[in-house]
mmCIF file of all heavy atoms in Angstrom:
data_model
loop_
_atom_site.group_PDB
_atom_site.id
_atom_site.type_symbol
_atom_site.label_atom_id
_atom_site.label_comp_id
_atom_site.label_asym_id
_atom_site.label_seq_id
_atom_site.Cartn_x
_atom_site.Cartn_y
_atom_site.Cartn_z
ATOM 1 N N PRO A 1 42.181 74.594 174.140
ATOM 2 C CA PRO A 1 43.679 74.757 174.473
ATOM 3 C C PRO A 1 43.922 75.347 175.720
ATOM 4 O O PRO A 1 43.092 75.994 176.418
ATOM 5 C CB PRO A 1 44.124 75.856 173.325
ATOM 6 C CG PRO A 1 42.826 76.529 172.882
ATOM 7 C CD PRO A 1 41.599 75.423 173.105
ATOM 8 N N ARG A 2 45.097 75.139 176.270
ATOM 9 C CA ARG A 2 45.528 75.664 177.561
ATOM 10 C C ARG A 2 45.736 77.171 177.401
ATOM 11 O O ARG A 2 46.546 77.572 176.533
ATOM 12 C CB ARG A 2 46.744 75.032 178.074
ATOM 13 C CG ARG A 2 47.286 75.440 179.432
ATOM 14 C CD ARG A 2 48.560 74.850 179.819
ATOM 15 N NE ARG A 2 49.050 75.374 181.133
ATOM 16 C CZ ARG A 2 50.268 75.145 181.505
ATOM 17 N NH1 ARG A 2 51.117 74.254 180.881
ATOM 18 N NH2 ARG A 2 50.670 75.570 182.667
ATOM 19 N N VAL A 3 45.124 77.938 178.287
ATOM 20 C CA VAL A 3 45.405 79.372 178.311
ATOM 21 C C VAL A 3 46.087 79.707 179.670
ATOM 22 O O VAL A 3 45.565 79.410 180.771
ATOM 23 C CB VAL A 3 43.985 80.136 178.141
ATOM 24 C CG1 VAL A 3 44.238 81.625 178.212
ATOM 25 C CG2 VAL A 3 43.315 79.725 177.008
ATOM 26 N N GLU A 4 47.241 80.346 179.551
ATOM 27 C CA GLU A 4 47.859 80.837 180.718
ATOM 28 C C GLU A 4 47.568 82.313 181.073
ATOM 29 O O GLU A 4 47.575 83.156 180.156
ATOM 30 C CB GLU A 4 49.352 80.645 180.503
ATOM 31 C CG GLU A 4 49.796 79.200 180.286
ATOM 32 C CD GLU A 4 51.370 79.066 180.233
ATOM 33 O OE1 GLU A 4 52.060 79.962 180.541
ATOM 34 O OE2 GLU A 4 51.776 77.928 179.860
ATOM 35 N N LEU A 5 47.243 82.570 182.303
ATOM 36 C CA LEU A 5 46.914 83.889 182.741
ATOM 37 C C LEU A 5 48.007 84.311 183.642
ATOM 38 O O LEU A 5 48.258 83.774 184.757
ATOM 39 C CB LEU A 5 45.608 83.976 183.437
ATOM 40 C CG LEU A 5 44.401 83.536 182.596
ATOM 41 C CD1 LEU A 5 43.085 83.558 183.472
ATOM 42 C CD2 LEU A 5 44.186 84.336 181.354
ATOM 43 N N GLU A 6 48.613 85.443 183.404
ATOM 44 C CA GLU A 6 49.763 86.020 184.110
ATOM 45 C C GLU A 6 49.459 87.458 184.533
ATOM 46 O O GLU A 6 48.896 88.145 183.836
ATOM 47 C CB GLU A 6 51.145 86.012 183.289
ATOM 48 C CG GLU A 6 51.588 84.620 182.846
ATOM 49 C CD GLU A 6 52.048 83.859 184.062
ATOM 50 O OE1 GLU A 6 52.375 84.378 185.104
ATOM 51 O OE2 GLU A 6 52.327 82.615 183.779
ATOM 52 N N PRO A 7 49.918 87.821 185.700
ATOM 53 C CA PRO A 7 49.616 89.243 186.215
ATOM 54 C C PRO A 7 50.545 90.214 185.634
ATOM 55 O O PRO A 7 50.389 91.446 185.674
ATOM 56 C CB PRO A 7 49.971 89.146 187.762
ATOM 57 C CG PRO A 7 50.809 88.039 187.898
ATOM 58 C CD PRO A 7 50.558 87.048 186.882
ATOM 59 N N ASP A 8 51.578 89.784 184.941
ATOM 60 C CA ASP A 8 52.572 90.755 184.183
ATOM 61 C C ASP A 8 52.753 90.308 182.776
ATOM 62 O O ASP A 8 52.489 89.230 182.483
ATOM 63 C CB ASP A 8 53.928 90.756 185.020
ATOM 64 C CG ASP A 8 53.778 91.121 186.457
ATOM 65 O OD1 ASP A 8 53.242 92.278 186.693
ATOM 66 O OD2 ASP A 8 54.131 90.318 187.282
ATOM 67 N N ILE A 9 53.216 91.226 182.075
ATOM 68 C CA ILE A 9 53.444 90.954 180.699
ATOM 69 C C ILE A 9 54.785 90.043 180.580
ATOM 70 O O ILE A 9 55.871 90.484 181.009
ATOM 71 C CB ILE A 9 53.712 92.308 179.781
ATOM 72 C CG1 ILE A 9 52.510 93.201 179.871
ATOM 73 C CG2 ILE A 9 54.171 92.014 178.437
ATOM 74 C CD1 ILE A 9 52.708 94.464 179.280
ATOM 75 N N THR A 10 54.602 88.955 179.923
ATOM 76 C CA THR A 10 55.783 88.049 179.689
ATOM 77 C C THR A 10 56.361 88.251 178.297
ATOM 78 O O THR A 10 55.752 88.872 177.406
ATOM 79 C CB THR A 10 55.358 86.581 179.972
ATOM 80 O OG1 THR A 10 54.400 86.273 178.796
ATOM 81 C CG2 THR A 10 54.634 86.423 181.127
ATOM 82 N N GLY A 11 57.538 87.708 178.107
ATOM 83 C CA GLY A 11 58.095 87.676 176.733
ATOM 84 C C GLY A 11 57.374 87.050 175.663
ATOM 85 O O GLY A 11 57.138 87.511 174.624
ATOM 86 N N ASP A 12 56.732 85.870 176.107
ATOM 87 C CA ASP A 12 55.838 85.179 175.119
ATOM 88 C C ASP A 12 54.544 86.105 174.767
ATOM 89 O O ASP A 12 54.118 86.030 173.738
ATOM 90 C CB ASP A 12 55.286 83.904 175.852
ATOM 91 C CG ASP A 12 56.424 82.803 175.849
ATOM 92 O OD1 ASP A 12 57.433 82.959 174.908
ATOM 93 O OD2 ASP A 12 56.349 81.961 176.651
ATOM 94 N N TRP A 13 53.970 86.769 175.721
ATOM 95 C CA TRP A 13 52.845 87.668 175.484
ATOM 96 C C TRP A 13 53.244 88.777 174.450
ATOM 97 O O TRP A 13 52.581 89.040 173.529
ATOM 98 C CB TRP A 13 52.304 88.306 176.679
ATOM 99 C CG TRP A 13 50.989 88.870 176.654
ATOM 100 C CD1 TRP A 13 49.762 88.220 176.859
ATOM 101 C CD2 TRP A 13 50.570 90.210 176.191
ATOM 102 N NE1 TRP A 13 48.653 89.050 176.509
ATOM 103 C CE2 TRP A 13 49.200 90.334 176.201
ATOM 104 C CE3 TRP A 13 51.347 91.289 175.764
ATOM 105 C CZ2 TRP A 13 48.568 91.547 175.758
ATOM 106 C CZ3 TRP A 13 50.635 92.540 175.353
ATOM 107 C CH2 TRP A 13 49.243 92.510 175.367
ATOM 108 N N ARG A 14 54.509 89.412 174.760
ATOM 109 C CA ARG A 14 54.942 90.370 173.833
ATOM 110 C C ARG A 14 55.234 89.855 172.470
ATOM 111 O O ARG A 14 54.916 90.595 171.386
ATOM 112 C CB ARG A 14 56.208 91.017 174.397
ATOM 113 C CG ARG A 14 56.037 91.874 175.692
ATOM 114 C CD ARG A 14 57.286 92.372 176.175
ATOM 115 N NE ARG A 14 57.848 93.389 175.243
ATOM 116 C CZ ARG A 14 58.940 94.118 175.421
ATOM 117 N NH1 ARG A 14 59.511 93.953 176.609
ATOM 118 N NH2 ARG A 14 59.443 94.956 174.547
ATOM 119 N N ALA A 15 55.612 88.622 172.342
ATOM 120 C CA ALA A 15 55.922 88.052 171.007
ATOM 121 C C ALA A 15 54.575 87.904 170.274
ATOM 122 O O ALA A 15 54.560 87.823 169.029
ATOM 123 C CB ALA A 15 56.541 86.634 171.165
ATOM 124 N N GLY A 16 53.467 87.763 170.918
ATOM 125 C CA GLY A 16 52.172 87.629 170.183
ATOM 126 C C GLY A 16 51.490 88.865 169.751
ATOM 127 O O GLY A 16 50.454 88.872 169.140
ATOM 128 N N TYR A 17 52.066 90.001 170.223
ATOM 129 C CA TYR A 17 51.408 91.364 169.990
ATOM 130 C C TYR A 17 51.923 91.886 168.607
ATOM 131 O O TYR A 17 53.134 92.104 168.449
ATOM 132 C CB TYR A 17 51.851 92.243 171.131
ATOM 133 C CG TYR A 17 50.993 93.539 170.980
ATOM 134 C CD1 TYR A 17 49.788 93.603 171.878
ATOM 135 C CD2 TYR A 17 51.340 94.601 170.177
ATOM 136 C CE1 TYR A 17 49.002 94.833 171.754
ATOM 137 C CE2 TYR A 17 50.500 95.773 170.120
ATOM 138 C CZ TYR A 17 49.328 95.844 170.948
ATOM 139 O OH TYR A 17 48.637 96.959 170.834
ATOM 140 N N HIS A 18 51.008 92.079 167.685
ATOM 141 C CA HIS A 18 51.383 92.567 166.447
ATOM 142 C C HIS A 18 50.379 93.659 165.925
ATOM 143 O O HIS A 18 49.788 93.658 164.916
ATOM 144 C CB HIS A 18 51.362 91.548 165.334
ATOM 145 C CG HIS A 18 52.363 90.343 165.713
ATOM 146 N ND1 HIS A 18 52.056 89.354 166.344
ATOM 147 C CD2 HIS A 18 53.747 90.309 165.367
ATOM 148 C CE1 HIS A 18 53.210 88.491 166.496
ATOM 149 N NE2 HIS A 18 54.113 89.106 165.921
ATOM 150 N N ALA A 19 50.202 94.665 166.804
ATOM 151 C CA ALA A 19 49.268 95.645 166.544
ATOM 152 C C ALA A 19 49.739 96.572 165.374
ATOM 153 O O ALA A 19 50.892 96.524 164.998
ATOM 154 C CB ALA A 19 48.941 96.464 167.786
ATOM 155 N N ARG A 20 48.737 97.489 165.007
ATOM 156 C CA ARG A 20 49.175 98.337 163.831
ATOM 157 C C ARG A 20 50.355 99.291 164.087
ATOM 158 O O ARG A 20 51.012 99.585 163.152
ATOM 159 C CB ARG A 20 47.961 99.062 163.467
ATOM 160 C CG ARG A 20 47.721 100.285 164.478
ATOM 161 C CD ARG A 20 46.342 101.080 164.187
ATOM 162 N NE ARG A 20 45.132 100.156 164.401
ATOM 163 C CZ ARG A 20 43.951 100.553 164.337
ATOM 164 N NH1 ARG A 20 43.684 101.815 163.969
ATOM 165 N NH2 ARG A 20 43.000 99.671 164.565
ATOM 166 N N ASP A 21 50.687 99.479 165.363
ATOM 167 C CA ASP A 21 51.828 100.413 165.614
ATOM 168 C C ASP A 21 53.163 99.700 165.779
ATOM 169 O O ASP A 21 54.107 100.254 166.085
ATOM 170 C CB ASP A 21 51.424 101.174 166.986
ATOM 171 C CG ASP A 21 50.290 102.143 166.798
ATOM 172 O OD1 ASP A 21 50.050 102.597 165.780
ATOM 173 O OD2 ASP A 21 49.537 102.202 167.855
ATOM 174 N N GLY A 22 53.111 98.381 165.503
ATOM 175 C CA GLY A 22 54.350 97.643 165.559
ATOM 176 C C GLY A 22 54.845 97.317 166.873
ATOM 177 O O GLY A 22 54.037 96.909 167.732
ATOM 178 N N VAL A 23 56.175 97.367 167.071
ATOM 179 C CA VAL A 23 56.722 96.958 168.378
ATOM 180 C C VAL A 23 56.158 97.801 169.465
ATOM 181 O O VAL A 23 56.057 99.050 169.320
ATOM 182 C CB VAL A 23 58.301 97.032 168.252
ATOM 183 C CG1 VAL A 23 58.939 96.720 169.600
ATOM 184 C CG2 VAL A 23 58.793 96.148 167.152
ATOM 185 N N LEU A 24 55.937 97.233 170.667
ATOM 186 C CA LEU A 24 55.475 97.836 171.708
ATOM 187 C C LEU A 24 56.532 98.854 172.314
ATOM 188 O O LEU A 24 57.606 98.433 172.677
ATOM 189 C CB LEU A 24 55.027 96.934 172.760
ATOM 190 C CG LEU A 24 53.652 96.125 172.590
ATOM 191 C CD1 LEU A 24 53.544 95.023 173.562
ATOM 192 C CD2 LEU A 24 52.447 97.075 172.720
ATOM 193 N N SER A 25 56.052 100.050 172.451
ATOM 194 C CA SER A 25 57.039 101.127 173.112
ATOM 195 C C SER A 25 57.040 100.933 174.498
ATOM 196 O O SER A 25 56.143 100.330 175.134
ATOM 197 C CB SER A 25 56.653 102.522 172.612
ATOM 198 O OG SER A 25 55.381 102.730 173.140
ATOM 199 N N ALA A 26 57.871 101.751 175.208
ATOM 200 C CA ALA A 26 57.872 101.755 176.664
ATOM 201 C C ALA A 26 56.620 102.285 177.157
ATOM 202 O O ALA A 26 56.110 101.819 178.222
ATOM 203 C CB ALA A 26 58.992 102.618 177.045
ATOM 204 N N ALA A 27 56.066 103.380 176.444
ATOM 205 C CA ALA A 27 54.839 103.910 176.997
ATOM 206 C C ALA A 27 53.673 102.990 176.751
ATOM 207 O O ALA A 27 52.694 102.865 177.654
ATOM 208 C CB ALA A 27 54.496 105.242 176.095
ATOM 209 N N ALA A 28 53.619 102.179 175.719
ATOM 210 C CA ALA A 28 52.569 101.225 175.527
ATOM 211 C C ALA A 28 52.723 100.035 176.643
ATOM 212 O O ALA A 28 51.697 99.711 177.303
ATOM 213 C CB ALA A 28 52.724 100.465 174.151
#
């Protein structure tokens, strides 16, 4: 599959994050 590499966090990257602490905070 195509893997996109970005130097910054994108909205799509954030949408894929589902860690145990839930939504990413500003500190995260």
Side-chain angles (χ1 to χ4, degrees):
R2 178 185 178 188
V3 181
E4 296 184 11
L5 299 179
E6 300 288 345
D8 300 301
I9 299 174
T10 65
D12 285 337
W13 195 94
R14 290 179 64 174
Y17 192 97
H18 301 93
R20 71 186 68 177
D21 296 327
V23 178
L24 285 168
S25 65

